[in-house]
Amino acid sequence: MVDLMDPRPRQDRYDGDNIRHWRVRVRGRVQGVGFRPFVYCRATELALAGWIRNDASGVVMEIQGPLPALDRFVGALSADVPPLARVERVDIEEQEVAAGLRGFAIRASVGGRIDTAIPMDAAICGACLSELFDTGDRRYRYPFINCSHCGPRYSIVTALPYDRHNTAMAPFALCEECRTEYEGPTDRRFHAEPVACAACGPRLALWDANGQEQAVSDVIAAAWSLIREGAIVAVKGVGGFHLMCDARNAATVAALRRRKGRLDKPFALLALNAGSLRHVAHVGGGERHALEGADRPIVLLRKAADCDGQLAGIADGLDRIGVMLAYTPIHYLLFHEAAGRPSGTQWLRGVEETLFVCTSANPGSEPLVTGNEEALARLSGLADAFVVHDRAIVSRCDDGVVRADGSGAVWMRRGRGQAPSSIRLRISGPPVLAVGAMLKNTICVTRGDEAFVSPHVGDLGNRRAYEAFEDTIASLTGLLGVDPQCVTHDRHPDYPSTLYAERLAAERGIVRIAVQHHHAHIAAVLAEHGLPGPALGVALDGVGYGTGGEIWGGELLSVQGAHFTRLGRMAPLPLPGGDRAAREPWRMAASVLHLLGRGAEIRHRFHDPATSVVARMLERRINAPLSTGAGRLFDAAAALLGVCEYASYEGQAAMMLEGLAARFGPLKPLEAGYTITGDGELSLLPTLDFLRTCPDPAGGAALFHATLAAGLAAWVGRAVEQTGLRQVALSGGCFANGILREHMRLALEAQGVSVYGAAQVPPNDGGLSLGQAWVALHTMHEGA
């Protein structure tokens, strides 16, 4: 067998134009992406004979012809593939030449042990857009247009191989015209499983707030009319429903906030194209690339000067705004209506002033709504109308969120179009199910040396979220054909994910492995970068269960495989009121004042009715557990500067602090702004003392970031000298902060240290499942 991931001419092994017959196996994302018609066309162009088919491992083909043509053919398999394909491996086996073999055929798929990639949802392609707005095309304004290069995939597939009968399109019988395209090997829609048209495919309907279908001639036109008049419309998308409204209508945006109970958390925008953002946000090269990719995530962009003036209530108090570009035919049709139904496609490249709020349709912290009747029940009181359709969403998949800046692109939330694509590991083993933690939950399933991290599930604090968690496990393991032999989880004994793992291990008699929270954070970075270790790791977040039940959150670790050593920690701060301190940053400021010997100021500096109670908690050390959480440092700094005393969503204080620092610009660290003890404890108390009297919140925010980064770099530098390790992984929710991430990278690289951060999975708890899986595989491998 020959592995030809990088095929080279083989004339050195064979003579001249000898006829050869090869069996070729291609693994990767090669189903549902137009790979078979691509192979058919290449084989036909080169006058090669044989056949190709899908199976559970990818695609397999037999190909026969002169050696030079075969070499050219195999070279094209990894160099010239369709845009959505990802070839990971090409294997060739020499076969006996078949006498009389003529022509090239595409054969029916076969099943077997599943070993192929899951196809990803993709934004509508340019060819389909041209047809969508061509008045002479039979799919003119058809809201479910797609082809082999675009459209829903993961969200509609029920099983692999990826064939129509294994998707939500199975109930829709193809009309003759669509069947001709579907069965034509040279057609762009050959075996595009969601292929359909107005005569045979899914259809839209408009419901009022009570679920009564409205008699309208054009659902899109009616929906746009409602939005233009100030309505909030729930629109069924690819991976779930969105709540959509006019982003420039401040009264409607305020109404959406009231209905969702979402006081301050930013909303995402939907724009036609990057050019339409010119007065709203700054779009750099890397950001444009992320915006316009086939996965079309929400990209966090720096605001333009008048952004808040134009878009009141969207992302107030922050320096960035989340934006995604249209990616479904329905989105483009809404913009088409807003633009007055221009002819052709030239308008798609122009500036469209209409911007939509496009936020996940879910009440509170519940999971994304996917079903029509479910939407009516769960979005009652939120939406004024519903745009629904009759194609089922099989797998819930929220929009991904990415930040692209000087440190590269970092995913903040894995979602539609990106998850659950596989991450190749340096270690292989029995299949593992990693169930993540409590917040920003994802799950991870391994298969051999591949790790599949699910789309964002959410916070497992309510029944619906937990049900979505169990559904995701069943769906992903089922699609991959995996029966986990090990389940791994966070060490926290009370997380719903931990309790699930305990129950699953007991029921199935499989191995169960608990992984410390911050070990998993660092392991996730090592896993995705293929680093064998040992390495240093800086894990900064809000809270994680320590090895002895303590509250960790600012940790310096040495990690190798299944093992880690704690080399240092952030100086612990009391959390007056426990978890409530994370929601009320003024309590963390009060904690700092107490440590500075200024506890008497607490009652006068803050106006909360609980100030006296909090002061006594701190004085008597009652209900004030110690925490090394770095996230609480950001809370304390924000409250001391008067930036944020109460948080209505996780990370709000830190995000507002980062926004102020970004607007102010870089500063040198505060001299003597941190201390490091002999046993590796890093304290920012001197900086927080300075912020206590700082008159300029923006300058104070910039100073805090600079000094924290300098302290962390010095902290790591000491560990580098002590251990000799020069690879450092940065992870944890605090590294969602671009300023901190970039300052740390520059400072450590100046010391000759190689720095690695989260990229394919989030640095926050959304990446923990990958780290858990990586540690579990090493644990089983090492027999630890």
Side-chain angles (χ1 to χ4, degrees):
M1 179 178 289
V2 180
D3 178 358
L4 283 183
M5 261 314 300
D6 184 19
R8 295 186 299 274
R10 298 159 53 105
Q11 281 87 339
D12 57 325
R13 280 179 277 170
Y14 298 110
D15 296 327
D17 293 335
N18 284 347
I19 300 298
R20 290 288 185 265
H21 186 113
W22 292 349
R23 185 177 180 87
V24 182
R25 156 74 60 194
V26 184
R27 292 180 170 87
R29 190 186 302 151
V30 290
Q31 294 187 9
V33 292
F35 194 79
R36 286 176 298 169
F38 156 76
V39 167
Y40 177 92
C41 291
R42 293 296 176 272
T44 302
E45 289 169 3
L46 294 168
L48 297 172
W51 53 264
I52 183 174
R53 70 184 177 208
N54 280 345
D55 65 11
S57 296
V59 297
V60 62
M61 66 192 84
E62 292 196 7
I63 191 87
Q64 180 171 297
L67 182 61
L70 290 175
D71 279 331
R72 289 175 60 192
F73 172 79
V74 173
L77 294 183
S78 50
D80 187 29
V81 297
L84 298 182
R86 187 181 74 186
V87 174
E88 296 177 351
R89 183 180 176 90
V90 179
D91 294 321
I92 295 178
E93 291 181 352
E94 192 81 27
Q95 305 285 307
E96 291 292 328
V97 173
L101 184 63
R102 297 285 184 274
F104 194 85
I106 297 176
R107 293 185 175 179
S109 300
V110 296
R113 186 180 69 85
I114 297 172
D115 192 30
T116 191
I118 300 171
M120 297 291 101
D121 301 313
I124 183 173
C125 68
C128 283
L129 276 176
S130 294
E131 294 174 347
L132 184 65
F133 297 113
D134 179 354
T135 55
D137 192 275
R138 71 188 190 91
R139 291 189 177 89
Y140 174 65
R141 289 179 58 83
Y142 179 59
F144 302 97
I145 189 172
N146 67 87
C147 71
S148 297
H149 306 311
C150 67
R153 301 287 194 276
Y154 168 68
S155 59
I156 63 169
V157 66
T158 58
L160 295 176
Y162 178 66
D163 288 320
R164 191 177 178 97
H165 65 271
N166 286 333
T167 74
M169 292 300 296
F172 299 93
L174 290 165
C175 67
E176 285 305 311
E177 287 181 280
C178 286
R179 180 167 296 282
T180 298
E181 295 169 330
Y182 183 79
E183 295 178 349
T186 60
D187 197 283
R188 195 175 90 250
R189 292 189 169 90
F190 175 77
H191 277 266
E193 308 308 342
V195 68
C197 70
C200 64
R203 296 176 182 174
L204 291 179
L206 180 69
W207 293 356
D208 67 14
N210 298 314
Q212 296 298 310
E213 184 170 349
Q214 303 300 289
V216 295
S217 59
D218 189 312
V219 170
I220 295 293
W224 162 243
S225 179
L226 287 169
I227 291 172
R228 182 179 55 194
E229 293 167 5
I232 298 166
V233 179
V235 179
K236 189 175 184 180
V238 173
F241 276 79
H242 286 114
L243 291 172
M244 297 183 65
C245 68
D246 181 357
R248 297 186 185 278
N249 187 328
T252 301
V253 173
L256 179 57
R257 288 204 175 279
R258 287 194 303 271
R259 295 182 193 182
K260 284 201 75 172
R262 187 168 175 164
L263 300 179
D264 302 300
K265 191 174 182 179
F267 287 131
L269 290 182
L270 181 72
L272 175 64
N273 52 38
S276 299
L277 300 170
R278 70 199 191 290
H279 296 312
V280 173
H282 301 285
V283 182
E287 292 162 331
R288 179 182 286 271
H289 178 76
L291 280 169
E292 295 177 347
D295 43 13
R296 296 288 167 91
I298 297 169
V299 182
L300 302 179
L301 303 175
R302 288 180 299 113
K303 287 180 178 177
D306 191 37
C307 179
D308 288 346
Q310 293 191 52
L311 301 172
I314 302 295
D316 294 347
L318 304 177
D319 73 313
R320 289 184 178 254
I321 189 166
V323 180
M324 59 182 165
L325 301 187
Y327 60 87
T328 71
I330 292 175
H331 293 160
Y332 279 101
L333 290 169
L334 285 169
F335 281 114
H336 194 222
E337 288 294 332
R341 289 202 187 187
S343 59
T345 58
Q346 185 63 33
W347 69 278
L348 292 170
R349 293 176 285 278
V351 172
E352 175 53 55
E353 296 296 336
T354 298
L355 297 170
F356 297 103
V357 167
C358 193
T359 189
S360 302
N362 56 324
S365 59
E366 293 185 5
L368 188 64
V369 172
T370 58
N372 294 350
E373 296 298 331
E374 177 194 13
L376 185 62
R378 290 177 57 199
L379 302 180
S380 176
L382 294 181
D384 298 308
F386 299 81
V387 173
V388 300
H389 58 74
D390 51 354
R391 185 181 69 203
I393 296 173
V394 175
S395 294
R396 178 183 290 105
C397 205
D398 217 330
D399 299 306
V401 180
V402 70
R403 178 167 175 167
D405 51 28
S407 299
V410 179
W411 285 89
M412 302 299 173
R413 183 172 76 192
R414 280 175 69 86
R416 169 195 43 76
Q418 198 238 3
S421 58
S422 66
I423 295 170
R424 187 71 65 176
L425 305 176
R426 288 179 62 97
I427 187 170
S428 181
V432 171
L433 167 63
V435 296
M438 177 76 173
L439 303 179
K440 297 180 172 62
N441 180 269
T442 62
I443 64 129
C444 177
V445 177
T446 69
R447 186 183 64 188
D449 63 351
E450 293 178 288
F452 297 83
V453 181
S454 75
H456 172 80
V457 175
D459 300 347
L460 304 184
N462 63 63
R463 178 180 59 83
R464 290 189 187 277
Y466 183 79
E467 289 172 352
F469 162 77
E470 290 194 324
D471 289 346
T472 302
I473 291 172
S475 171
L476 193 52
T477 55
L479 273 178
L480 295 171
V482 164
D483 185 14
Q485 301 303 300
C486 169
V487 60
T488 178
H489 59 90
D490 194 272
R491 287 181 64 95
H492 197 297
D494 298 327
Y495 282 168
S497 51
T498 299
L499 300 176
Y500 174 91
E502 291 174 346
R503 186 173 66 253
L504 184 72
E507 290 174 352
R508 298 191 182 180
I510 61 176
V511 176
R512 178 173 66 86
I513 297 172
V515 179
Q516 198 279 324
H517 192 92
H518 301 94
H519 185 194
H521 268 311
I522 302 305
V525 175
L526 302 183
E528 72 159 290
H529 288 283
L531 301 175
L536 295 175
V538 180
L540 305 181
D541 63 4
V543 59
Y545 196 81
T547 53
E550 316 95 328
I551 304 174
W552 288 11
E555 313 304 322
L556 178 57
L557 309 177
S558 171
V559 174
Q560 182 164 21
H563 308 283
F564 77 94
T565 302
R566 193 186 193 196
L567 303 178
R569 66 175 188 175
M570 301 293 292
L573 296 175
L575 304 182
D579 290 344
R580 190 165 183 176
R583 301 188 296 274
E584 299 180 11
W586 74 268
R587 290 174 179 253
M588 294 312 305
S591 180
V592 168
L593 291 175
H594 170 76
L595 293 177
L596 291 171
R598 295 180 174 276
E601 296 180 15
I602 295 172
R603 295 173 176 85
H604 308 294
R605 185 167 186 127
F606 307 108
H607 305 291
D608 192 281
T611 52
S612 295
V613 174
V614 165
R616 286 196 296 272
M617 284 180 184
L618 293 165
E619 290 164 4
R620 301 174 185 179
R621 300 182 182 180
I622 299 171
N623 193 22
L626 293 176
S627 168
T628 61
R632 303 293 77 82
L633 280 177
F634 283 86
D635 291 345
L640 287 170
L641 290 167
V643 173
C644 180
E645 294 188 7
Y646 302 90
S648 65
Y649 61 92
E650 185 189 7
Q652 180 179 1
M655 291 170 66
M656 295 179 71
L657 203 65
E658 181 187 6
L660 284 175
R663 284 193 287 271
F664 188 88
L667 273 181
K668 291 182 178 180
L670 178 68
E671 188 174 349
Y674 59 86
T675 61
I676 304 176
T677 64
D679 59 356
E681 184 172 282
L682 171 63
S683 173
L684 268 289
L685 205 57
T687 298
L688 295 172
D689 188 22
F690 178 85
L691 298 184
R692 179 179 57 82
T693 57
C694 179
D696 178 8
L703 186 70
F704 172 78
H705 280 81
T707 310
L708 175 59
L712 291 168
W715 195 38
V716 173
R718 283 177 39 135
V720 169
E721 292 178 3
Q722 293 167 358
T723 65
L725 301 177
R726 308 196 72 81
Q727 292 183 328
V728 179
L730 309 179
S731 192
C734 292
F735 283 111
N737 184 306
I739 296 175
L740 179 64
R741 194 170 62 247
E742 182 68 1
H743 280 11
M744 281 285 289
R745 182 183 67 81
L746 293 173
L748 291 175
E749 288 179 348
Q751 299 178 37
V753 173
S754 298
V755 182
Y756 301 89
Q760 296 181 74
V761 296
N764 58 43
D765 285 6
L768 282 176
S769 61
L770 174 63
Q772 292 170 351
W774 189 86
V775 172
L777 285 170
H778 278 275
T779 301
M780 291 187 289
H781 193 350
E782 297 168 14

